[in-house]
Amino acid sequence: MASDASQTAQVDPGLSWSQLRAFEACARLSSFAGAALALSVTASAVRYQIGLLEARLGVILFERQAGRLALTKIGETFARQIRRPMRDLLNACATATQSALEAPITLSAPPLFAREFLLGRPFLAWCDANNVRLDVSDAKRELFGPTPIAAIRLGAIEETDVTLTPLLAVALRIAAHPEVAASARPHDGTWWAAQTLLSPSAADDGWQAVWHALALPDAIVPRTVPYGSYAAALEAACAGTGLILAPLPFANKEFGEGRLAAVSDIRVDADREYALIMPDDLAGSNRGRALKRHLVRVCRT
């Protein structure tokens, strides 16, 4: 018998939070309309949830009297018994959310962006002071998880439940190893046809803009080697493997050190820009807003 009682106590009653929340609001306000206003839903939605709850429990919880609600005796008992567990559940959720928001923020950034703006001592010191952990990688991090994560991405798009903040537009310049650039004939279509283009996906559309700016035919089809990241393509160009649409300002170091040289004075604007993305909950927090402000400032100074 004790075993049977234990098993009965563990049976899932199949109730939803929406049903319990509707019941609590109706019990407190004695009105479908009042509960609907408090919950920011329609009165019909509240009635529906109460109907589901009563059907699930097999009891009548409210009496409808002259347009007002009155708890039945069973309803009074049910309201009294669930009041504290509901409050404890809400407090537990708030505590868990607060703990997550206080955990270190992981800021994921691609290597070129990190090298240009984030790896200097001032930004790293700001991260230490503000409980931000920098993760330098081309890999895309999942934004929704047990710890707060923000990411800087090239060509980020608007997503559901995600806040996007533009940070930096990128210009592209045709570049190659200095020996390759010295013998370049950028206005000669036959020269281009013999070249190798080192092309991250972010630069694919840029080459068409180059052909147009140089008044070259669209039919030019150089050999193209795809790359998963700008950092890898940039290193390959410096090694003399082929030509690249070098992203500015990120390639300024390679130009300054003589590892790259311009093949033409033409610059084209990239179709994509770097943006900071983070879940809406993090973006709306004080820490998320502080991170956004600081990154915008870093990228514009």
Side-chain angles (χ1 to χ4, degrees):
M1 294 294 292
S3 176
D4 291 343
S6 175
Q7 290 178 359
T8 300
Q10 295 175 7
V11 171
D12 183 355
L15 306 181
S16 73
W17 178 250
S18 296
Q19 294 166 12
L20 294 175
R21 193 171 66 149
F23 171 78
E24 185 280 330
C26 287
R28 176 164 43 87
L29 300 169
S30 301
S31 165
F32 285 134
L37 185 62
L39 299 176
S40 299
V41 297
T42 64
S44 61
V46 173
R47 290 191 186 91
Y48 177 70
Q49 293 298 333
I50 296 299
L52 290 178
L53 179 61
E54 290 180 328
R56 183 63 184 174
L57 297 176
V59 298
I60 300 299
L61 298 171
F62 292 101
E63 294 177 346
R64 284 68 168 175
Q65 299 177 344
R68 289 186 62 81
L69 298 178
L71 287 166
T72 63
K73 287 187 177 181
I74 295 177
E76 289 177 356
T77 301
F78 187 69
R80 183 172 61 253
Q81 290 177 331
I82 71 168
R83 187 174 297 119
R84 182 170 180 177
M86 287 186 68
R87 184 173 63 246
D88 289 346
L89 178 58
L90 288 170
N91 288 338
C93 291
T95 299
T97 299
Q98 186 61 33
S99 297
L101 291 176
E102 290 175 355
I105 297 174
T106 297
L107 174 62
S108 176
L112 282 183
F113 190 98
R115 185 187 74 177
E116 184 73 19
F117 295 110
L118 308 182
L119 293 180
R121 183 172 298 175
F123 186 82
L124 294 178
W126 185 91
C127 288
D128 290 341
N130 290 273
N131 206 17
V132 174
R133 185 176 69 87
L134 184 60
D135 173 38
V136 179
S137 172
D138 277 315
K140 278 193 174 183
R141 293 287 299 267
E142 172 58 51
L143 294 179
F144 296 94
T147 58
I149 296 178
I152 296 169
R153 292 180 184 168
L154 178 62
I157 60 175
E158 296 283 354
E159 300 177 47
T160 303
D161 300 325
V162 169
T163 298
L164 184 151
T165 303
L167 293 176
L168 184 73
V170 178
L172 304 173
R173 190 168 187 184
I174 315 166
H177 186 277
E179 291 183 3
V180 176
S183 60
R185 301 192 307 278
H187 293 280
D188 182 349
T190 58
W191 179 83
W192 278 104
Q195 303 308 307
T196 298
L197 309 183
L198 312 176
S199 187
S201 59
D204 287 346
D205 296 337
W207 289 111
Q208 296 303 316
V210 166
W211 312 147
H212 180 74
L214 291 172
L216 294 171
D218 292 337
I220 294 176
V221 186
R223 175 173 177 262
T224 300
V225 178
Y227 280 82
S229 73
Y230 254 127
L234 201 60
E235 285 303 311
C238 291
T241 305
L243 284 82
I244 187 174
L245 283 179
L248 305 177
F250 303 108
N252 288 345
K253 179 180 180 181
E254 283 70 22
F255 282 115
E257 293 176 351
R259 299 172 64 206
L260 276 184
V263 170
S264 167
D265 291 335
I266 290 174
R267 295 189 186 193
V268 296
D269 293 329
D271 289 340
R272 308 176 187 183
E273 62 183 348
Y274 284 90
L276 171 68
I277 59 174
M278 61 179 89
D280 289 342
D281 288 347
L282 177 58
S285 69
N286 289 335
R287 298 174 67 210
R289 287 193 291 268
L291 175 60
K292 179 175 69 174
R293 287 194 301 269
H294 195 70
L295 283 171
V296 169
R297 189 181 308 121
V298 164
C299 292
R300 295 178 183 176
T301 57

